[in-house]
């Protein structure tokens, strides 16, 4: 017996838009808050700095889990699950790398940022429809994350690698998430006005 429903959910439903809006807004605010705290706590790779470094990919892992639960079945849902697992492993890896100093942290964080950014681009492309705000902030954010992640791995082998760049990374990502939330809110208001 088939488990399919007679009326499968369509993309861009009010419920999906509302769920994504809350997710993007929460993710964006947490990223900016993390960046502000980390900016004043990473003079050395000590316990507070390592704790914050582990926390950032864990925020992404939880966000991916919430996204996975709210997303209809399909390849997009599998990518969010992959990103959640990836971010969980990244949190563990960056915690271990912290014992080795700045260079290993940048290598791990950069590798995670690149792969996670690529996954974000894939999800953004799957949600490209106008019902979900066209996803251009998500696509830009994912593309930048990929490029910045590659740059961090190059920087890690340079003369004076620094963790200062991670606060900038988190701030930029947070701003793009907030912009995506605002775009979804604007789209929801327009659709409600059209059906009123």
């Amino acid at each position: 017996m088939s488990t399919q429903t007679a009326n499968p959910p369509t993309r861009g439903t009010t419920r999906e838009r509302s769920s994504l809006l809350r997710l993007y807004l929460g993710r964006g605010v947490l990223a900016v808050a993390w960046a502000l705290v980390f900016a004043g706590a990473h003079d050395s790779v000590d316990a507070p700095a390592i704790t914050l470094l582990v926390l950032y990919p864990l925020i992404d892992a939880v966000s991916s889990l919430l996204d996975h639960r709210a997303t209809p079945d399909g390849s997009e849902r599998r990518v969010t699950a992959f990103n959640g697992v990836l971010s969980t492993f990244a949190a563990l890896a960056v915690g271990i790398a912290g014992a080795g100093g700045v260079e290993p942290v940048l290598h791990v964080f950069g590798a995670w940022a690149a792969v996670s950014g690529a996954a974000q681009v894939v999800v953004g492309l799957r949600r490209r429809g106008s019902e979900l705000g066209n996803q251009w902030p998500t696509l830009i954010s994912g593309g930048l994350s990929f490029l910045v992640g590659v740059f961090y791995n190059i920087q890690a082998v340079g003369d004076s690698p620094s963790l200062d760049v991670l606060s900038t990374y988190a701030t930029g990502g947070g701003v793009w998430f907030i912009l995506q939330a605002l775009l979804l809110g604007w789209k929801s208001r327009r659709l409600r006005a059209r059906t009123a």
Side-chain angles (χ1 to χ4, degrees):
M1 181 177 176
S2 174
T3 58
Q4 277 190 320
T5 59
N7 296 305
T10 58
R11 296 310 317 269
T13 63
T14 301
R15 181 179 175 187
E16 187 177 5
R17 278 193 307 274
S18 177
S19 176
L20 287 175
L21 190 154
R22 289 191 306 273
L23 178 66
Y24 289 145
L25 185 60
R27 179 69 176 81
V29 169
L30 282 173
V32 172
W34 182 92
L36 291 172
V37 174
F38 189 73
H42 73 278
D43 291 334
S44 61
V45 187
D46 54 10
I50 292 173
T51 301
L52 287 168
L53 287 165
V54 168
L55 182 62
Y56 193 78
L58 283 180
I59 291 170
D60 197 63
V62 172
S63 297
S64 294
L65 172 64
L66 295 173
D67 197 354
H68 180 266
R69 291 175 62 183
T71 302
D73 286 334
S75 59
E76 174 189 328
R77 195 166 192 249
R78 290 190 291 274
V79 174
T80 61
F82 164 78
N83 197 54
V85 172
L86 171 71
S87 296
T88 301
F89 280 115
L92 295 171
V94 81
I96 295 168
V102 173
E103 294 87 349
V105 166
L106 279 179
H107 275 306
V108 172
F109 202 98
W112 168 67
V115 179
S116 182
Q120 189 174 328
V121 168
V122 171
V123 171
L125 288 171
R126 300 284 182 183
R127 294 176 175 162
R128 191 82 177 102
S130 62
E131 297 86 359
L132 294 177
N134 293 319
Q135 297 289 303
W136 62 264
T138 298
L139 292 168
I140 292 171
S141 175
L144 289 174
S145 181
F146 175 81
L147 294 174
V148 167
V150 172
F151 170 75
Y152 287 170
N153 274 280
I154 295 169
Q155 185 191 25
V157 297
D159 291 333
S160 55
S162 170
L163 295 181
D164 291 342
V165 292
L166 300 186
S167 289
T168 305
Y169 170 85
T171 301
V175 168
W176 286 115
F177 273 114
I178 291 168
L179 284 174
Q180 185 64 70
L182 294 173
L183 191 59
L184 279 173
W186 174 76
K187 185 65 181 181
S188 294
R189 284 192 299 274
R190 284 194 63 187
L191 290 172
R192 280 197 301 268
R194 189 181 303 168
T195 58

